Amino acid sequence: MTAFFYCPAAKAQTPVIEYEPDESYVGFNEGKGWAIGGQFGYDFPAGALSQNYRVTPTYGIGVYKKIDDFTLNFNINHHAYPAKSNAMGMVDNRFIVLGFYFGGAYDKLITPFFKFYGGLNLGGWLKRYEDIYNYDDECGCEINNANFYFAPKVGFTYLTSSHIGIGVEAKYNVYITGYDYLTDTSGGKLFNSVAATLILTYHF
């Protein structure tokens, strides 16, 4: 006599679906490749910086290199904080920031076209401002001051079939300075802001 056994549990098993990055990535998410991109967003002053300065647009360009599960980046960005109306004449009315930084992020592919990432930027920022206490008409009354900068970041990128990446990134910026821009006096302080940025990249 031959016995047959029926096990309903065997039907409950779901096969594991594995995928490879689509060919439109041109190898970028396979652990190699380059991308170039532009950024546009808004920087929201926080803490002490928000007491005297308002939200401002921010612009930037960047180069990206994929290495296995990580993406490295080098960026330059620019923004200028406008002083609040109740702070005019008490702080720098012209607060121009030029940032330059390297960064890295760990990538998590959700689909062959869509990824989340998290990482950190490290670099410097050059602050150009007017010396509101200098009344000498002979001077230019502008001072440049370089400082250290870092920013944790998170974001996502969707890559279209035309090699164009569309992404959104959020950063918490921390500026370390040897000058107190809140009171225009010497003395180091930490300033911070939150930036939300749209990033367009071309992958090749």
Side-chain angles (χ1 to χ4, degrees), residues 69-161:
D69 294 330
F70 296 88
T71 299
L72 305 180
N73 61 280
F74 173 73
N75 296 78
I76 298 175
N77 72 336
H78 173 273
H79 59 272
Y81 294 110
K84 291 183 176 180
S85 58
N86 60 352
M88 298 288 286
M90 296 186 297
V91 296
D92 303 319
N93 296 333
R94 186 184 183 193
F95 191 149
I96 301 175
V97 176
L98 177 65
F100 45 94
Y101 53 86
F102 292 92
Y106 176 76
D107 301 325
K108 177 63 176 179
L109 280 177
I110 306 302
T111 75
F113 291 96
F114 190 83
K115 72 173 184 180
F116 280 100
Y117 63 87
L120 182 70
N121 291 331
L122 293 171
W125 63 293
L126 181 65
K127 197 263 184 186
R128 191 176 189 184
Y129 60 98
E130 295 176 343
D131 185 357
I132 64 173
Y133 295 112
N134 194 326
Y135 300 99
D136 185 357
D137 293 334
E138 299 290 329
C139 79
C141 298
E142 287 190 348
I143 301 174
N144 293 327
N145 190 287
N147 306 275
F148 180 69
Y149 158 86
F150 70 93
K153 61 182 180 180
V154 293
F156 66 84
T157 302
Y158 174 77
L159 189 64
T160 69
S161 58

Side-chain angles (χ1 to χ4, degrees), residues 42-57 79-84 95 97 171-173 175 182 191-196:
Y42 284 90
D43 191 288
F44 300 82
L49 196 62
S50 67
Q51 295 181 27
N52 291 327
Y53 294 101
R54 296 186 282 114
V55 177
T56 183
H79 59 272
Y81 294 110
K84 291 183 176 180
F95 191 149
V97 176
K171 297 184 297 183
Y172 183 75
N173 302 309
Y175 306 103
L182 186 64
F191 290 98
N192 47 62
S193 67
V194 177

